[in-house]
Amino acid sequence: GESVGLHLPTLSVQEGDNSIINCAYSNSASDYFIWYKQESGKGPQFIIDIRSNMDKRQGQRVTVLLNKTVKHLSLQIAATQPGDSAVYFCAENQGGSQGNLIFGKGTKLSVKP
Amino acid sequence: DTEVTQTPKHLVMGMTNKKSLKCEQHMGHRAMYWYKQKAKKPPELMFVYSYEKLSINESVPSRFSPECPNSSLLNLHLHALQPEDSALYLCASSQGPGLNNEQFFGPGTRLTVL
């Protein structure tokens, strides 16, 4: 796998490797976080979410880690496949009753066969 | 039905035209959203409708006018747009407007203003 710095716009990995995509969020009051995958020409697709009372959540081939101390979120994709190539956005709900989602800048993941 | 649909898929309009974007969901969601997304940028929230009432307007110019005729439909009326308004317009819905509600996105309408 390849660890990337914050806000790196692109990440290239070999098929079968693990991918790690990082995100820094801005508001310590944010209590809900979502990772979205957006393929070219499509709308964002939900991957996984996590609430602020959790540190880790696992899905199928994906894991989200939340570090509230440093306001950092990461998405780990196991055994990355060509179909995982897309732009990945983290989004934070900054609290309140309206459900505002604030999106991060996004990371473009390219998977090399 | 677990999807959000948007029409049209593509739209080209002149600066004097009036057009509308449409969004529909049949998941029983009570919150619906409009986002604007420029190329290589994240989606930016424009409007939030909660129980068919406009609850958030993120300082969007009045040339964009949202409408929620019923709990399943959301429209965005466009008038006197500028070329810089060209973007992908995304509609989303969630169960409710509150906390921890996953938003489901439609495929978007690609708008070009000439």
Side-chain angles (χ1 to χ4, degrees):
Chain A
E2 182 176 344
S3 178
V4 298
L6 296 178
H7 305 305
L8 188 71
T10 61
L11 172 63
S12 184
V13 300
Q14 202 71 37
E15 181 179 358
D17 285 353
N18 297 332
S19 304
I20 301 175
I21 301 173
N22 295 313
C23 178
Y25 62 93
S26 56
N27 192 336
S28 57
S30 294
D31 49 20
Y32 179 57
F33 305 87
I34 305 177
W35 279 101
Y36 283 96
K37 171 186 180 183
Q38 188 173 24
E39 296 175 271
S40 181
K42 296 184 179 179
Q45 176 188 0
F46 173 89
I47 302 174
I48 192 168
D49 60 0
I50 188 167
R51 291 170 175 75
S52 59
N53 61 351
M54 302 170 71
D55 298 322
K56 178 179 179 179
R57 188 155 190 237
Q58 286 185 288
Q60 189 176 18
R61 276 201 312 120
V62 294
T63 301
V64 55
L65 298 177
L66 175 62
N67 185 330
K68 293 180 288 293
T69 303
V70 295
K71 293 188 285 188
H72 181 258
L73 196 66
S74 69
L75 176 71
Q76 300 177 3
I77 304 174
T80 313
Q81 301 168 2
D84 295 326
S85 295
V87 177
Y88 289 81
F89 292 102
C90 65
E92 61 181 302
N93 181 322
Q94 295 191 328
S97 61
Q98 299 303 324
N100 285 23
L101 281 184
I102 306 298
F103 282 77
K105 293 180 183 178
T107 297
K108 182 176 181 179
L109 175 66
S110 297
V111 181
K112 296 176 286 188
Chain B
D1 190 351
T2 58
E3 65 173 2
V4 176
T5 59
Q6 290 187 244
T7 55
K9 194 175 173 75
H10 300 277
L11 179 61
V12 179
M13 60 186 291
M15 290 189 284
T16 58
N17 292 157
K18 283 185 182 181
K19 297 286 184 183
S20 296
L21 309 185
K22 297 186 183 302
C23 174
E24 190 166 1
Q25 57 87 13
H26 294 289
M27 295 179 278
H29 289 173
R30 302 313 301 269
M32 295 185 77
Y33 311 79
W34 280 115
Y35 288 83
K36 174 182 177 180
Q37 186 177 26
K38 300 284 276 185
K40 300 188 191 306
K41 298 288 187 182
E44 294 179 351
L45 184 65
M46 299 174 72
F47 302 104
V48 180
Y49 270 83
S50 172
Y51 295 92
E52 297 148 57
K53 287 185 169 43
L54 182 65
S55 59
I56 292 180
N57 175 341
E58 291 285 354
S59 303
V60 180
S62 60
R63 59 185 185 269
F64 295 91
S65 175
E67 178 198 17
C68 189
N70 60 55
S71 60
S72 300
L73 295 173
L74 186 66
N75 298 323
L76 186 62
H77 303 298
L78 314 173
H79 174 53
L81 294 194
Q82 304 296 312
E84 59 264 29
D85 295 322
S86 298
L88 180 69
Y89 288 85
L90 293 161
C91 174
S93 70
S94 66
Q95 283 188 341
L99 303 177
N100 305 338
N101 273 308
E102 173 195 343
Q103 291 184 22
F104 292 82
F105 283 82
T109 293
R110 175 74 61 189
L111 174 68
T112 302
V113 182
L114 301 177

